Amino acid sequence: MCGVMLTELVPAAGRQADMFGFGKGRARADALMTLMDSINSKYSRGTIKLASEGVRGFKSPNFSSWEELPEVRD
């Protein structure tokens, strides 16, 4: 059996504003995400993605996986 927990889900209007006003372009970012979603829906998932996605070769170790835990030997 497995479970999935979704936390901190809030409506877009309920987002915390940042102190320095970097969130002013939020409407533009939301429009971009909507466009990306529509392109990926039309063609196939992963047709376009963020630059931070898909760089598995450069990821840091996953210490929540038994296979990737560091091992100490005498």
Side-chain angles (χ1 to χ4, degrees):
M1 183 179 278
C2 158
V4 176
M5 215 164 131
L6 303 174
T7 62
E8 298 183 33
L9 297 175
V10 296
R15 291 184 188 144
Q16 169 111 18
D18 63 81
M19 183 187 301
F20 303 106
F22 294 124
K24 291 181 180 175
R26 190 75 231 166
R28 188 172 179 184
D30 289 343
L32 178 61
M33 288 295 124
T34 302
L35 177 63
M36 288 176 66
D37 288 342
S38 67
I39 291 171
N40 284 330
S41 293
K42 182 175 182 178
Y43 296 103
S44 69
R45 184 177 181 193
T47 300
I48 60 171
K49 53 188 164 187
L50 299 174
S52 61
E53 294 180 70
V55 288
R56 285 292 204 181
F58 300 110
K59 78 177 189 74
S60 61
N62 181 8
F63 294 130
S64 62
S65 167
W66 286 108
E67 292 81 28
E68 294 187 34
L69 278 174
E71 189 174 322
V72 178
R73 296 179 184 235
D74 290 332

